[in-house]
Amino acid sequence: MNAPASLPTAETLRSALAGLLDGLPARQAAQAVERLIATYRGATPTEAPILRDRADVAAYAAYRMPATFEAVRSALEAFADAVPGWAPGGHVDVGGGTGAAAWAASATWGGERPVTVLDWAEPALALGRELAAAHPALRHTRWHRSRIGSALTIESTDLVTVSYVLNELTAPDRAALVDAAAAAAQAVVIVEPGTPDGYARVIEARDRLVSAGFHVAAPCPHSAACPIAPGTDWCHFSARVSRSSLHRQIKGGSLAYEDEKFSYVAATRLPVAPAPARVVRKPQIRKGQVLLDLCEKDPALRRTTVAKRHGDLYRAARDTDWGDPWPPGGDV
């Protein structure tokens, strides 16, 4: 994956957030965070942006931007692994707010490219513009206020990202947005919370993308129907997020990290080489063996046991993480 390139970008983002939020009263931020949590867990009509003013945006950036960055970066890296040698010539981030997905794309593919962030909350765009000034590759990003819904027009580009947005839309607007992204881009990456409802929205979007002629690059090893029986389980993954001291204060936690659970689909019109299989649960390491829950190309879900007698494969299994392809660099 592209972790070496992503590390400086992640550090730059953390530094930019710390500088921007310096002086923000933690109590004020914490109160705004509580309201945002309640709003995100509820039903938000498309006519009402969640982020209303700069205080909301600052709280959102401290509370959510690091986690959104890591989740989207994980999804983009999985996509990059399935389409080796390709890099987007342009990127449109729909509902991008303060620009976490733009930072994630920059962490995945180095260099500069035309980037446009669309959002309906002007305070979020303004703060995103300020943050982006700290990152040379994003200094020329365009920040446009747009209503995210059925009337949205997306300019032609290579990559469209839609992260943590579908929950804010009505069902017709979700469908219209996915269709617009598919019509505009070679690749579409959609990230939602790692909850049953978030997974259901991802599957809905995945089906529309496949119907539009896209191939699933990640996380699935195939473009067929998901083998999970509806209502029995959900597919999601986890990204480790480093917490700043302000982040810990606002979230009321003491650990230096947290784990962000997310669901995603990365699809493209380009030829793809998806993983032979994907680890869809945290591996269970036991004495002399590792249990891996895999989604396979069949499509099927299967648990496999890798024992110590398997030598190199066993050592690889001990180092394998939730969400990784399996086996590393080879066919099942």
Side-chain angles (χ1 to χ4, degrees):
M1 288 192 177
N2 301 278
S6 70
L7 185 58
T9 303
E11 291 176 346
T12 301
L13 176 58
R14 283 195 292 270
S15 177
L17 278 171
L20 192 64
L21 298 173
D22 186 35
L24 178 71
R27 183 175 180 180
Q28 178 185 353
Q31 289 173 343
V33 164
E34 290 176 2
R35 187 188 65 78
L36 290 172
I37 292 173
T39 304
Y40 274 112
R41 287 175 178 168
T44 304
T46 55
E47 292 80 7
I50 288 177
L51 303 176
R52 302 175 304 187
D53 53 31
R54 186 177 178 82
D56 273 0
V57 175
Y60 170 83
Y63 175 66
R64 284 299 309 164
M65 197 171 177
T68 301
F69 167 82
E70 292 295 352
V72 177
R73 181 194 58 79
S74 295
L76 293 178
E77 287 190 352
F79 175 80
D81 287 344
V83 192
W86 181 84
H91 174 203
V92 175
D93 184 28
V94 179
T98 53
W103 285 79
S106 180
T108 306
W109 298 282
E112 293 188 54
R113 62 186 54 84
V115 179
T116 300
V117 178
L118 306 176
D119 200 273
W120 48 19
E122 182 59 40
L125 296 170
L127 189 140
R129 188 181 296 110
E130 291 181 47
L131 288 172
H135 188 15
L138 297 178
R139 287 176 181 169
H140 300 296
T141 297
R142 296 183 299 168
W143 305 82
H144 289 173
R145 186 176 185 184
S146 300
R147 183 181 183 278
I148 310 303
S150 58
L152 179 68
T153 299
I154 304 174
E155 63 186 19
S156 180
T157 189
D158 285 343
L159 172 68
V160 168
T161 54
V162 184
S163 54
Y164 297 90
V165 172
L166 299 184
N167 182 47
E168 302 177 31
L169 304 179
T170 64
D173 280 354
R174 288 199 300 269
L177 173 53
V178 174
D179 290 348
Q186 285 189 309
V188 177
V189 177
I190 295 173
V191 180
E192 282 286 293
T195 63
D197 286 347
Y199 161 72
R201 291 188 293 271
V202 166
I203 287 298
E204 178 185 79
R206 181 187 186 276
D207 290 345
R208 297 193 76 86
L209 291 170
V210 171
S211 295
F214 278 63
H215 312 290
V216 177
C220 321
H222 56 82
S223 296
C226 178
I228 297 175
T232 63
D233 203 350
W234 72 98
C235 182
H236 64 294
F237 302 93
S238 181
R240 179 61 52 91
V241 183
S242 296
R243 285 173 165 176
S244 66
S245 58
L246 178 60
H247 196 193
R248 291 196 298 272
Q249 188 175 10
I250 288 175
K251 298 195 75 171
S254 58
L255 293 177
Y257 66 87
E258 63 182 74
D259 292 319
E260 171 72 5
K261 305 297 194 301
F262 65 98
S263 294
Y264 77 97
V265 61
T268 181
R269 297 187 186 277
L270 301 163
V272 296
R278 180 81 58 184
V279 180
V280 293
R281 289 289 181 273
K282 185 177 177 64
Q284 299 182 39
I285 300 178
R286 300 179 179 176
K287 186 176 181 180
Q289 62 183 17
V290 181
L291 306 183
L292 299 177
D293 291 301
L294 304 174
C295 181
E296 300 181 320
K297 283 186 175 180
D298 295 346
L301 298 172
R302 179 174 69 92
R303 171 169 287 186
T304 187
T305 301
V306 185
K308 195 170 184 179
R309 60 184 169 81
H310 291 125
D312 289 346
L313 200 62
Y314 171 72
R315 286 184 284 276
R318 287 184 62 86
D319 291 335
T320 293
D321 203 358
W322 182 8
D324 285 348
W326 180 260
D331 294 329
V332 173

